[in-house]
Amino acid sequence: VAVLLGVYLALAPIPPPPEPDEGGKEVFEFAEESPTLCQMEVLATYPHDPEAFTQGLLVHNGRLFESTGLYGKSVIKEVEIETGETIESTSLDDAMFGEGLTIFEDTLYQLTWRNNAVLRYSLDLKQKDSHHLEGEGWGLTTVIGTEAEEEDFLL
């Protein structure tokens, strides 16, 4: 697995949300500007478990955390960057499919695909709790809110 996984990075303006037309269908308008291409360079490569169905990956204070998917095989784990070996791992229930992963204030947040759940973990991968999520969970990059109360938080 490469530290930078591409040769080019395309940066394009994000268009506004689609507006419905007279018939109620959403009409997409695309940016007039072309994407900017940026040259990328692979700095290093590291071993990675080829069996892992990676759904979320992040580095926090030099520690690599990974969320994997597939029913019956989903885990959240800490991985030794240099060797690819698992340091610590917590399995999800077999009926859960792990998805995106992010961190906020030393709490890991893991989405599930069709289980309507966001799982919260301490940095030692002990599950703190779970919260209901409407719809399917997909990729997760950043927590955009804070916890107002135990049951009331924004992702």
Side-chain angles (χ1 to χ4, degrees):
V1 141
V3 171
L4 298 176
L5 296 175
V7 177
Y8 292 100
L9 173 65
L11 303 174
I14 299 173
E19 296 289 331
D21 67 8
E22 292 175 13
K25 294 183 179 179
E26 292 180 343
V27 178
F28 288 88
E29 293 183 23
F30 295 96
E32 294 179 15
E33 300 174 41
S34 296
T36 302
L37 296 179
C38 303
Q39 188 85 26
M40 303 297 286
E41 177 185 353
V42 175
L43 301 177
T45 59
Y46 300 100
H48 183 260
D49 178 3
E51 299 296 317
F53 195 69
T54 304
Q55 297 295 306
L57 196 64
L58 67 88
V59 176
H60 175 68
N61 293 334
R63 297 168 66 187
L64 177 64
F65 294 95
E66 180 175 11
S67 170
T68 67
L70 298 178
Y71 292 109
K73 296 184 178 181
S74 293
V75 300
I76 183 170
K77 60 185 176 178
E78 182 179 356
V79 177
E80 171 59 47
I81 294 173
E82 299 292 327
T83 66
E85 296 295 320
T86 298
I87 296 170
E88 187 67 42
S89 173
T90 298
S91 296
L92 277 66
D93 183 276
D94 285 350
M96 290 189 156
F97 189 114
E99 270 288 343
L101 180 68
T102 195
I103 190 165
F104 183 72
E105 294 183 349
D106 289 337
T107 296
L108 294 160
Y109 293 80
Q110 181 184 33
L111 292 178
T112 59
W113 181 28
R114 293 183 171 168
N115 303 98
N116 304 102
V118 178
L119 309 176
R120 295 184 342 135
Y121 301 88
S122 56
L123 292 178
D124 61 1
L125 303 183
K126 303 289 187 248
Q127 187 174 339
K128 292 180 173 186
D129 53 27
S130 65
H131 295 270
H132 181 75
L133 173 73
E134 282 298 319
E136 294 181 352
W138 287 61
L140 180 64
T141 58
T142 305
V143 174
I144 58 171
T146 61
E147 295 179 57
E149 294 180 14
E150 191 111 345
E151 287 88 31
D152 185 15
F153 69 98
L154 300 172
L155 289 180

